[in-house]
Amino acid sequence: MENEIAQVKATAAPEGSDRRLRRLRDRLGPLLRQVVLLPLVLISRAIDPVMRLIQAKAGTGGMIAVFLIPNMAIFGIFVIIPIILNFVYSFTGGAEILLDQRAWVGGQQYERLTDCQNYLDPLSCREDLFWRAAHNTFFFVLFQVSLMVSVSMITALILNRNMAGRGFFRAVFFFPVLLSPVVVGLIWRWILQREGLLNLIVTNFGAERVVWLNDRFYAFAAAIGVSTWAHMGFFTLILLAGLQAIPKDLYEAAEMDATPPARVFWRITLPLLGPNLAVVLVLALIRGVQIFDEAYVLTGGGPGTATMFMTQYIYEVGFASLLRNPGLAAAASILMGAVLVVLTLMQLGLSRRAEKARER
Amino acid sequence: MKKVFLGASVLALVAGTAAAQTQTPVRVMWYSDGVEGAVMADILSRFEAENPDINVILDNVAFQVIQEQLPVQLASGTGPDIARVTNLKAQADHWLDLRPYVADPAYWEANFGDRFDWMRPDGSDAIPGFMTQLTLVGGFANATLFEQAGIELPGPGASWDDWIEASRQVAEDQGLPAAFSIDRSGHRVAGPLAAYGETFIGDDGLPAPLSDDAMEFITRLVDWTGQGLMLPDTWVSAAGTTYRAAADDFTNALIPFYYSGSWQVANLSTKIGDAFDWVATGSPCGPVGCTGMAGGAGLVGIRYTQNPEAVARVMDYLASEEVVREFTERTLFLPAHAGIVAEGGLNFQSDDPNVPPALSRFVEASGETLPATDALPAWRWANSVYGALVTRISQAMAGELTLEQARALIDRDIADQVEAAR
Amino acid sequence: MGSITLKDIRKSFGGVHVIHGVDLTIEKGELVVFVGPSGCGKSTLLRLIAGLDKPSSGAIEIDGRDVTRAGAADRGLAMVFQSYALYPHMTVRQNLSFGLENTRMPRSEIAARVADAARMLEIEELLERRPTQLSGGQRQRVAIGRAIVRDPTAFLLDEPLSNLDAELRGTMRAELSALHDRLATTMIYVTHDQVEAMTLADRIVVLRKGRVEQVDTPLNLYNRPANRFVAGFIGAPNMNFFPAVAEGGQAALPGGVQVAVAASGPVSFGIRPQHLRLAAPGEAGIPARVTLVEALGAETVLHARSDGDTDVLVVLEGQPELQRGQELALAFDVEHLHAFDAQGQRID
Amino acid sequence: MSTILTFLTRRRGHGGRWHWTDVASWVWLIGGTVLMFGPALWLISSSLKDPAQLAEFPPTLLPYVQQTAAVEGHDTPLPLFTVTMEDGSTRDLAQVRRIGANAQMVDPGDPDAQISVRIADRTPVRDVGIAHGNYTDPFLHFDFFVYLRNSVFVTFFATILTLFTNSMAAFALSKYRFRGRDAVLLVIVGTLMVPLSVILVPLYSVVSRVGLLDSLWGVILPTIATPTGVFLLRQYMLTIPDDLLEAARMDHASEWQIYWRIILPLTAPALAVLAIFSVVWRWNDFLWPLVVLSRRELYTLQIGLNTYAGELNVQWHYILSMTVVTMIPVVLVFVFLQRFITTGIAGAGVK
């Protein structure tokens, strides 16, 4: 008897004063859950016999189709067909918007885009803005992906340390991921413009005001920095997940071997983080190439055309400007898509080969 | 369960529109730069009270929708019944000819006839709609800054060089970052180009290559930017045809001279308030003249409407003299109604002492435009020219192109446009 | 109720043959154990019976009904998975009743069956818990309970005890055995552990590389292994084998012991470690040198090497005084000797 | 107090010394916090400023309003300024009017004597205050609740349908072997790389052809078959042991029941992550709804607030305030579900 009481006390003690609250929650929780789940239960009651019938008639193969069809139908209509149409567009010319009013011009748009004396000098190209956008996008991806991966990695490594407030800081870095790109661009433009917050800070320290977005270097850096700011939280979490999956005893073993921390990072952490790092790299790469909303709102592509990226070029040529040329835009997007696919396949191939090498 | 819910929401939607079913719906797609959306809503609610059989739905949209989405709708033969549009000429085929439907075509001809060519295909006699406002490109000066610097405001007939020089002195004296700015828009620089002698339109009606006269002004513009006289933020800090206004820099007293247009009057009034005195200056002069560019937004019927009679009734109401007068007075726009202009005596609703003189200066300046600029609003290729000008001039300002390269590329861009559209 | 017949069952996964023609009949109420080293196809065979995989050829009959093409749900069987496969998001009670609900059984009936099974397995207090809150042994019971409530034609158990520690495994083995006695239902039990097989089975099916090596009762397997593989696999420690050459009905073991054998050519002889003893002085025996002595108290396991470099294991009772490096002779009774021909088949 | 201090200064390693990496970590984290939250706070502060103050440099950290004083003889309250007098002293005066570079000022305590002051010598007296009109005006003029209802409708149904269709497809792609599976996967992953802005025109014509233009379903449907969602869920489902499915099959469960009763509940963490992302994405969607919707009664909040962007002027004060309003749900999601999201991604993201 006494034993039992002691046991009850032991279990009750940590609950402290909010025990009643917890009991209430325990009682309300399931009730709430039932109320919320009721519609789902009813739906399932209704669907189940139908599905059994289908399974009986069409077998498991039929069920696979049932599972795939809703997604694939929508996917086909709203993603695949537009992509195919886009391909068709790229072979048509004129300013008309609807496909059936447009004239077939064959590979003319592609010829125009690739007509270049020297691919490294946009001005020597027939469509100089396309090549400027391509150059800008290339350097943007190069710097932005490296910056983002390093910053995310550092943050993940720090968050992986055993320190106070880890959950809080994890959330802090994730916060901007939830903002819409338009808002992100807007906020930062507000900060970086001539009369913005950053200049207030800079002048408070006695320095000259800089018109950040008028300077090729700063504007490009701002585009990189802002997109890193907006997305790094997501990548940090993926890397953090990978870090936490690395068994602790490996580090203990390394400590026993008196391995210097840098070596621990390069020889243990990094290789074991491989799969996560590959995902991060591929996603960052794809996002980098697709950079649009936040940079467009932030810099409008300026100064000059210093931050005009591929997607902005396509959007403006094909849709936004009064002088649209949908065929040219479509051809440009097809070229960009081809580069992306090649890059991703290369990336995946490399990481797969690395993985295989490690397995051996 | 889900079906029930869906059904319910569909029902709710249907019920919502059912009340309007007995009325003829007329949709107006409208964008606002300031208070005009609210004013229009107010006017339309009075119209509905007088005409219970018509239900006017005012869709207040972003300008981006008018510019990007309406063309797509029109191309597929859909769209609202009435729209407020700036790109009037290029889409002229889509506008409804109101002539058979309006109560008094003669009234329309008399009061709006001058601008019909801006919004109908060449050679047509259609009544497509009317201009909700006229705009005129022109300058604003910060009189207080000029006074503090002890510099006289350049008087009538002052040239661009005079204005920039005077502004430069003010900027230097007052420690300002730049002397002046022009909105980032091809439409804005077209006037000065014409003042330097550019005529834009070739003998065949197609765009002519850029003249040396035009290059004269473009060279100055690029030089002024290079010397830091023109605020680089507006032109340099964007690419392509993106529109950027320098109004905030002017209201913040960063520049003593600002070249924009009559539509800024209301905006400047609210943002500047009592902070300083400002005046409208008209357009500085070039060798050929002192011209700005006329323009504005037109309200047009759309050909694809189901109810042209109802559309015409709405348009008749909105184009009536008293409504135009009220709209003009409340929005501080320049009127496009010949009768009202002739009659004058507009009672603009503003407490700001800077507003009335500014508006009358613009009305006055509208008489100073050159034929070269007057022809542009009714010219199909104007947008192509504007777009090429903005894109390439700002690249030259950013140092990406030499002036010669910019000139060649402007000509090529325009030629491409003409080629693509034929 | 509950007889299962396999007729020439074959299974291949993309060109790799995993089961090569298995014929087997399991009588009703029997507890049959499939045993064999890992990769021998025992689990695959069980899954074919369960209906989770379909055989490439051959037929499966349950109570004389051909169920080869029937789905897993329609065979009236219940299975206990190696991983237990308890639904982690359901309580024990929900786990037990899930399958019954799927057959549209009345609620009262379900409740009664769950209660019965819970009582039988002594898991009544656990009914409202989730699998993650249970210990390994408790999960094991729930997994069995889930099979019991279904009242199946036969139970299929796939290495059900392999995730338990040694002690618990012993207890559960006994309980399973008792359960089988009580339910008297057909059970097929897959294991790689020959001790489990020996203790539980009515009959054992020894499998190797997708073929049935021998089907018999545990003691018959032990006493009369049909071939060298079965002889080596059943019994712990493993049987010792000595190669020899038979000539004229005689063969010589190391140390010159002559044994009669009904064959000629290369043969091998097997003898279990328990059947070897230290030769009495003067007695003929296999000479060997001690390499390791493992004193376990009740018995002593002797590792030795005979000439011809054959390792020999000997289990001796008690705690004999022996040292590494010591030379000795190992004697045996001839009736404990198993002889196998060159193909490894038993020679009687 | 001291316990808090030791908690806050708790660090890795042994003993009481601070390693340089501890210092660096804290600098990084605190700097990061300022950098991550600062801009959002700046947005909120800006949204409370009136248009004139928004354009002002140097910007103030907090929103201010001009102080006024009621002065005898004047109908409306007059704005107050701190004036530096010629002798170097400062006085608080009310401004009667300004003429060019000079202002007529009056001491509120002595309303009769007018003083002429150069405007460079006066600075406005201001107090922290809010331009609440930025928030109230849009609520009066702008069909806020219509837009809100549309946004909620789109977000809710798009999310539900996304979860349904994606999880079904992910189930088929992770738990069954069938011919063409890898091809389907490749196509899905491949389209991860196609940004919407690139296929805008063809997608528009498809949606128009299907008759979904100017309909909320036209906004919802094209977004629901997200490759990201299918991919994320599939990766998670791969970690669910096949034994469970087989056990369920032995338990007479149909394939649908396996999906519905076994897979879906077990995929809950990944579904939650996808749901949260879907809510945030759909709530923030801008370009696509802008293209599809042209009727006011169908506008979502993001499109609604964009009506303040005209051809020639942008009414920033309204856009900022409405941006803050539309951010509220996102911030709520963040505050209440951040632990869920962050651990969920950690758990579901990559396995």
Side-chain angles (χ1 to χ4, degrees):
Chain A
M1 183 66 193
E2 249 177 34
N3 249 347
E4 263 171 47
I5 292 170
Q7 223 170 347
V8 169
K9 269 190 185 159
T11 51
E15 291 177 13
S17 57
D18 57 11
R19 189 174 56 185
R20 231 173 312 159
L21 203 75
R22 186 177 288 207
R23 199 181 301 156
L24 189 72
R25 198 186 63 186
D26 284 348
R27 212 169 293 163
L28 273 182
L31 192 76
L32 210 72
R33 188 201 291 268
Q34 272 182 351
V35 171
V36 171
L37 289 182
L38 187 70
L40 288 179
V41 170
L42 290 178
I43 294 173
S44 99
R45 288 263 163 82
I47 295 178
D48 194 39
V50 182
M51 289 297 171
R52 269 188 192 271
L53 200 72
I54 295 175
Q55 190 176 347
K57 288 262 182 288
T60 311
M63 285 310 292
I64 296 176
V66 167
F67 286 124
L68 273 178
I69 280 169
N71 197 71
M72 295 320 283
I74 291 170
F75 194 70
I77 294 172
F78 296 111
V79 181
I80 306 290
I81 291 182
I83 289 177
I84 294 169
L85 281 182
N86 199 39
F87 198 66
V88 179
Y89 264 99
S90 73
F91 292 100
T92 61
E96 282 75 22
I97 293 158
L98 298 184
L99 201 52
D100 41 16
Q101 298 161 6
R102 296 175 59 81
W104 185 265
V105 297
Q108 238 177 57
Q109 309 284 17
Y110 291 97
E111 275 167 35
R112 183 167 158 190
L113 284 176
T114 52
D115 179 3
C116 240
Q117 266 134 46
N118 173 7
Y119 288 106
L120 296 178
D121 175 17
L123 266 182
S124 73
C125 299
R126 176 77 181 72
E127 200 49 43
D128 59 315
L129 292 179
F130 172 78
W131 287 99
R132 267 199 206 280
H135 281 220
N136 291 341
T137 309
F138 174 78
F139 286 108
F140 177 84
V141 168
L142 193 68
F143 293 121
Q144 199 260 354
V145 171
S146 354
L147 178 71
M148 176 137 76
V149 172
S150 348
V151 172
S152 306
M153 180 67 95
I154 294 173
T155 313
L157 285 173
I158 290 177
L159 290 178
N160 196 36
R161 294 163 66 111
N162 184 20
M163 54 200 315
R166 247 188 349 177
F168 170 75
F169 287 115
R170 201 172 48 191
V172 163
F173 285 93
F174 187 72
F175 172 68
V177 176
L178 299 175
L179 300 180
S180 86
V182 178
V183 171
V184 168
L186 209 68
I187 294 181
W188 280 98
R189 191 166 134 203
W190 218 252
I191 291 171
L192 294 172
Q193 66 183 359
R194 185 187 287 272
E195 292 93 27
L197 182 66
L198 187 60
N199 272 335
L200 176 68
I201 296 168
V202 165
T203 47
N204 268 353
F205 281 103
E208 271 297 292
R209 248 198 247 184
V210 182
V211 188
W212 306 98
L213 298 178
N214 273 3
D215 182 287
R216 303 181 78 80
F217 175 77
Y218 287 128
F220 201 81
I224 290 174
V226 168
S227 70
T228 303
W229 180 83
H231 300 300
M232 66 159 285
F234 180 72
F235 295 107
T236 301
L237 283 186
I238 297 182
L239 289 177
L240 187 60
L243 285 177
Q244 286 175 343
I246 298 177
K248 289 281 165 286
D249 47 7
L250 289 181
Y251 289 106
E252 286 162 4
E255 209 172 327
M256 297 298 287
D257 293 343
T259 321
R263 198 174 150 79
V264 169
F265 175 75
W266 289 109
R267 300 301 297 278
I268 297 179
T269 309
L270 215 50
L272 289 175
L273 213 50
N276 295 56
L277 212 54
V279 169
V280 166
L281 275 176
V282 171
L283 288 182
L285 197 78
I286 292 174
R287 268 205 200 160
V289 177
Q290 294 181 356
I291 175 80
F292 177 52
D293 307 23
E294 61 249 37
Y296 185 60
V297 177
L298 183 72
T299 65
T305 50
T307 57
M308 174 154 150
F309 300 114
M310 227 36 228
T311 319
Q312 182 185 347
Y313 171 82
I314 294 168
Y315 177 67
E316 287 205 337
V317 169
F319 200 74
S321 80
L322 287 174
L323 323 156
R324 47 188 106 202
N325 189 341
L328 193 64
S333 71
I334 298 282
L335 288 183
M336 176 176 122
V339 171
L340 253 182
V341 168
V342 170
L343 277 181
T344 313
L345 289 181
M346 262 166 53
Q347 178 90 47
L348 286 176
L350 282 180
S351 70
R352 192 162 297 176
R353 191 191 294 175
E355 218 163 275
K356 271 194 187 143
R358 208 170 319 127
E359 273 165 18
R360 266 176 223 144
Chain B
M1 187 63 196
K2 198 165 99 190
K3 269 187 195 149
V4 172
F5 190 81
L6 265 179
S9 53
V10 167
L11 255 180
L13 270 176
V14 170
T17 47
Q21 223 43 225
T22 52
Q23 298 171 308
T24 313
V26 172
R27 280 200 167 266
V28 183
M29 191 187 269
W30 183 273
Y31 75 91
S32 304
D33 282 315
V35 295
E36 66 265 36
V39 172
M40 183 47 70
D42 190 27
I43 290 173
L44 286 175
S45 66
R46 286 209 312 265
F47 170 83
E48 282 184 303
E50 291 169 27
N51 299 273
D53 58 323
I54 294 181
N55 174 34
V56 187
I57 306 143
L58 183 68
D59 288 323
N60 254 313
V61 302
F63 181 67
Q64 204 182 346
V65 173
I66 306 272
Q67 201 181 3
E68 294 177 9
Q69 196 196 332
L70 182 64
V72 187
Q73 292 186 2
L74 295 175
S76 41
T78 58
D81 299 307
I82 297 174
R84 185 186 191 213
V85 183
T86 53
N87 189 14
L88 287 161
K89 186 70 174 185
Q91 306 182 96
D93 287 337
H94 300 293
W95 311 150
L96 172 70
D97 182 6
L98 293 166
R99 191 176 284 278
Y101 305 108
V102 291
D104 181 9
Y107 168 84
W108 283 75
E109 282 287 356
N111 290 303
F112 303 106
D114 291 352
R115 271 76 192 210
F116 285 163
D117 277 341
W118 293 10
M119 49 181 99
R120 65 187 173 196
D122 293 338
S124 151
D125 74 332
I127 297 181
F130 68 99
M131 303 298 288
T132 55
Q133 99 239 49
L134 273 192
T135 57
L136 186 71
V137 172
F140 297 94
N142 183 328
T144 305
L145 280 177
F146 271 86
E147 190 186 334
Q148 282 175 340
I151 311 277
E152 277 290 303
L153 277 170
S159 68
W160 272 97
D161 292 344
D162 297 339
W163 267 104
I164 303 311
E165 175 56 21
S167 308
R168 184 189 64 77
Q169 291 173 13
V170 174
E172 264 173 29
D173 185 78
Q174 299 288 308
L176 305 177
F180 79 109
S181 190
I182 302 180
D183 289 339
R184 190 177 194 277
S185 153
H187 176 256
R188 241 52 104 228
V189 294
L193 289 179
Y196 272 76
E198 171 64 58
T199 49
F200 302 105
I201 306 174
D203 296 335
D204 51 358
L206 293 176
L210 223 50
S211 66
D212 292 341
D213 300 323
M215 286 312 294
E216 178 83 24
F217 184 75
I218 292 174
T219 309
R220 270 161 217 262
L221 207 53
V222 173
D223 284 349
W224 286 330
T225 312
Q227 294 160 20
L229 291 176
M230 175 152 144
L231 194 70
D233 307 27
T234 335
W235 278 69
V236 177
S237 67
T241 55
T242 315
Y243 171 76
R244 286 274 162 97
D248 282 349
D249 302 303
F250 183 72
T251 57
N252 205 21
L254 290 179
I255 43 173
F257 180 59
Y258 171 39
Y259 193 66
S260 182
S262 56
W263 58 89
Q264 291 289 2
V265 169
N267 180 41
L268 295 184
S269 171
T270 39
K271 283 203 187 146
I272 295 170
D274 188 42
F276 57 81
D277 289 329
W278 48 277
V279 295
T281 66
S283 286
C285 299
V288 179
C290 319
T291 184
M293 271 285 301
L299 197 65
V300 289
I302 308 288
R303 241 176 70 191
Y304 314 108
T305 178
Q306 302 294 312
N307 311 298
E309 289 86 2
V311 167
R313 275 170 60 195
V314 175
M315 293 292 277
D316 262 337
Y317 180 81
L318 295 177
S320 67
E321 185 167 336
E322 58 186 304
V323 171
V324 172
R325 181 178 285 272
E326 178 193 342
F327 181 77
T328 305
E329 287 175 346
R330 286 172 70 182
T331 54
L332 307 184
F333 285 158
L334 296 187
H337 187 286
I340 294 176
V341 175
E343 198 177 316
L346 283 164
N347 174 28
F348 285 112
Q349 293 179 7
S350 169
D351 299 333
D352 190 333
N354 293 314
V355 167
L359 287 173
S360 28
R361 179 71 189 89
F362 274 109
V363 173
E364 186 190 325
S366 61
E368 298 164 4
T369 53
L370 290 173
T373 54
D374 293 341
L376 289 184
W379 187 46
R380 198 181 152 196
W381 305 104
N383 281 323
S384 308
V385 174
Y386 298 158
L389 284 175
V390 178
T391 308
R392 300 309 183 176
I393 292 178
S394 53
Q395 271 188 286
M397 288 173 175
E400 288 177 0
L401 300 177
T402 65
L403 281 163
E404 273 319 298
Q405 286 169 330
R407 181 178 190 169
L409 286 173
I410 290 172
D411 286 341
R412 197 185 74 189
D413 284 356
I414 297 172
D416 280 349
Q417 296 290 330
V418 174
E419 171 74 28
R422 273 202 303 189
Chain C
M1 281 283 281
S3 73
I4 297 170
T5 309
L6 308 184
K7 290 181 178 163
D8 194 27
I9 292 293
R10 290 167 193 277
K11 175 71 182 173
S12 52
F13 290 109
V16 181
H17 299 284
V18 185
I19 304 288
H20 308 262
V22 169
D23 287 287
L24 186 66
T25 301
I26 296 161
E27 300 300 336
K28 75 174 231 201
E30 211 180 7
L31 198 167
V32 172
V33 174
F34 291 176
V35 74
S38 55
C40 69
K42 55 191 188 295
S43 285
T44 307
L45 199 56
L46 191 73
R47 293 169 56 84
L48 291 174
I49 296 171
L52 294 172
D53 288 327
K54 297 283 181 291
S56 308
S57 70
I60 301 172
E61 287 173 11
I62 297 177
D63 290 331
R65 183 170 68 98
D66 185 344
V67 295
T68 318
R69 296 289 134 198
D74 306 324
R75 298 190 182 188
L77 306 175
M79 183 151 165
V80 176
F81 290 80
Q82 181 174 9
S83 65
Y84 312 144
L86 298 178
Y87 310 122
H89 58 297
M90 299 184 190
T91 61
V92 169
R93 184 188 299 282
Q94 287 165 330
N95 261 288
L96 295 182
S97 42
F98 180 73
L100 302 179
E101 285 167 10
N102 290 336
T103 58
R104 309 262 147 155
M105 187 180 278
R107 279 181 177 280
S108 53
E109 166 97 34
I110 294 177
R113 285 207 190 188
V114 169
D116 280 349
R119 195 173 326 115
M120 193 188 298
L121 295 164
E122 295 168 358
I123 53 172
E124 287 152 301
E125 305 85 69
L126 310 178
L127 281 177
E128 303 312 324
R129 294 210 203 156
R130 284 177 197 252
T132 46
Q133 298 164 311
L134 303 178
S135 70
Q138 290 168 332
R139 285 183 209 183
Q140 176 62 65
R141 282 161 197 268
V142 176
I144 294 168
R146 191 169 63 177
I148 289 177
V149 290
R150 294 268 315 281
D151 192 15
T153 339
F155 287 95
L156 312 177
L157 301 100
D158 188 5
E159 307 213 19
L161 304 183
S162 61
N163 287 335
L164 300 178
D165 59 49
E167 192 187 346
L168 206 51
R169 205 180 303 167
T171 327
M172 284 308 296
R173 208 162 59 204
E175 286 191 22
L176 269 178
S177 188
L179 193 70
H180 178 240
D181 289 346
R182 174 134 52 128
L183 296 172
T185 316
T186 315
M187 283 189 184
I188 304 179
Y189 188 107
V190 164
T191 182
H192 63 271
D193 178 351
Q194 45 114 351
V195 178
E196 267 173 36
M198 297 293 283
T199 48
L200 281 171
D202 293 330
R203 278 197 303 158
I204 294 179
V205 177
V206 182
L207 286 155
R208 180 168 70 139
K209 292 180 181 165
R211 287 179 216 277
V212 174
E213 295 285 330
Q214 189 174 3
V215 183
D216 216 327
T217 61
L219 287 182
N220 277 348
L221 281 183
Y222 187 83
N223 295 332
R224 295 181 54 81
N227 54 41
R228 205 180 135 161
F229 172 77
V230 176
F233 190 77
I234 301 290
N238 291 347
M239 185 181 276
N240 299 304
F241 289 103
F242 301 97
V245 177
E247 252 177 280
Q250 289 280 323
L253 280 170
V257 183
Q258 290 287 325
V259 187
V261 62
S264 65
V267 294
S268 58
F269 292 99
I271 183 147
R272 298 193 185 276
Q274 292 84 350
H275 296 150
L276 286 171
R277 57 187 150 76
L278 298 179
E283 188 182 5
I286 301 168
R289 172 149 25 100
V290 177
T291 53
L292 181 66
V293 181
E294 295 175 332
L296 301 178
E299 54 187 30
T300 300
V301 180
L302 203 64
H303 295 246
R305 178 160 297 169
S306 77
D307 58 51
D309 279 353
T310 314
D311 285 324
V312 186
L313 279 176
V314 186
V315 175
L316 300 170
E317 276 183 27
Q319 304 167 352
E321 295 271 324
L322 291 165
Q323 256 114 47
R324 179 182 306 184
Q326 193 173 339
E327 300 279 352
L328 37 76
L330 299 168
F332 54 89
D333 296 331
V334 180
E335 67 262 31
H336 289 136
L337 208 56
H338 307 268
F340 303 100
D341 65 16
Q343 284 73 46
Q345 293 305 310
R346 182 179 187 88
I347 309 167
D348 280 314
Chain D
M1 187 61 213
S2 67
T3 51
I4 293 173
L5 205 67
T6 47
F7 172 75
L8 284 177
T9 54
R10 195 166 69 195
R11 1 142 322 278
R12 120 190 222 276
H14 333 278
R17 276 172 302 111
W18 276 64
H19 192 257
W20 70 267
T21 54
D22 294 309
V23 181
S25 300
W26 278 104
V27 169
W28 182 274
L29 291 179
I30 290 167
T33 309
V34 172
L35 205 58
M36 293 292 149
F37 280 150
L41 294 177
W42 179 243
L43 172 78
I44 293 170
S45 153
S46 297
S47 77
L48 298 168
K49 295 175 175 177
D50 62 37
Q53 221 200 328
L54 270 178
E56 184 177 278
F57 189 86
T60 52
L61 284 177
L62 295 172
Y64 286 93
V65 287
Q66 169 105 43
Q67 285 291 93
T68 55
V71 180
E72 226 174 282
H74 298 275
D75 299 338
T76 50
L78 299 178
L80 274 177
F81 289 85
T82 302
V83 178
T84 312
M85 307 304 288
E86 276 162 27
D87 57 2
S89 64
T90 58
R91 290 172 69 181
D92 280 3
L93 298 179
Q95 175 176 298
V96 179
R97 70 180 70 82
R98 185 185 54 77
I99 304 144
N102 288 308
Q104 294 291 316
M105 312 286 274
V106 68
D107 190 330
D110 177 17
D112 296 330
Q114 291 214 342
I115 310 158
S116 182
V117 177
R118 282 193 302 140
I119 59 170
D121 294 334
R122 43 152 230 192
T123 48
V125 177
R126 301 198 295 190
D127 258 1
V128 176
I130 296 173
H132 41 74
N134 292 355
Y135 285 86
T136 49
D137 292 354
F139 276 95
L140 297 175
H141 295 299
F142 178 86
D143 293 317
F144 182 83
F145 292 99
V146 175
Y147 301 162
L148 178 69
R149 189 197 65 195
N150 291 335
S151 270
V152 168
F153 182 89
V154 166
T155 307
F156 179 77
F157 280 104
T159 300
I160 292 282
L161 289 173
T162 300
L163 293 180
F164 257 106
T165 56
N166 287 6
S167 63
M168 274 160 66
F171 174 51
L173 291 171
S174 62
K175 292 296 174 196
Y176 296 102
R177 311 188 140 270
F178 55 91
R179 220 169 341 124
R181 185 179 73 166
D182 292 344
V184 171
L185 259 176
L186 203 68
V187 168
I188 288 182
V189 174
T191 51
L192 263 176
M193 297 167 220
V194 182
L196 170 73
S197 39
V198 159
I199 54 164
L200 211 52
V201 174
L203 181 54
Y204 184 89
S205 35
V206 168
V207 169
S208 137
R209 201 59 60 90
V210 185
L212 286 174
L213 224 51
D214 247 333
S215 134
L216 291 176
W217 290 105
V219 177
I220 294 169
L221 288 177
T223 60
I224 63 180
T226 61
T228 328
V230 176
F231 193 62
L232 178 98
L233 293 178
R234 185 185 114 93
Q235 293 305 97
Y236 191 84
M237 285 178 189
L238 286 176
T239 67
I240 297 176
D242 288 347
D243 276 2
L244 287 181
L245 277 71
E246 295 181 338
R249 274 184 202 128
M250 299 296 292
D251 268 348
H252 278 279
S254 66
E255 299 304 309
W256 174 260
Q257 273 178 313
I258 290 174
Y259 160 73
W260 186 255
R261 303 245 351 233
I262 310 288
I263 294 293
L264 268 197
L266 290 178
T267 318
L271 284 173
V273 170
L274 180 61
I276 290 161
F277 269 113
S278 171
V279 165
V280 171
W281 287 334
R282 298 293 81 87
W283 185 264
N284 286 336
D285 258 348
F286 172 69
L287 191 58
W288 181 240
L290 183 74
V291 170
V292 176
L293 304 174
S294 62
R295 298 180 174 213
R296 189 188 56 196
E297 63 266 29
L298 296 173
Y299 271 20
T300 60
L301 276 174
Q302 304 288 347
I303 307 307
L305 81 91
N306 203 43
T307 59
Y308 290 111
E311 180 201 10
L312 306 161
N313 276 312
V314 176
Q315 293 164 300
W316 283 117
H317 51 299
Y318 291 143
I319 293 210
L320 290 178
S321 64
M322 286 300 101
T323 302
V324 171
V325 171
T326 57
M327 266 171 57
I328 290 174
V330 170
V331 172
L332 286 182
V333 164
F334 177 70
V335 169
F336 289 108
L337 301 177
Q338 66 87 0
R339 184 169 297 271
F340 207 41
I341 305 171
T342 49
T343 53
I345 290 178
V350 229
K351 272 200 173 171

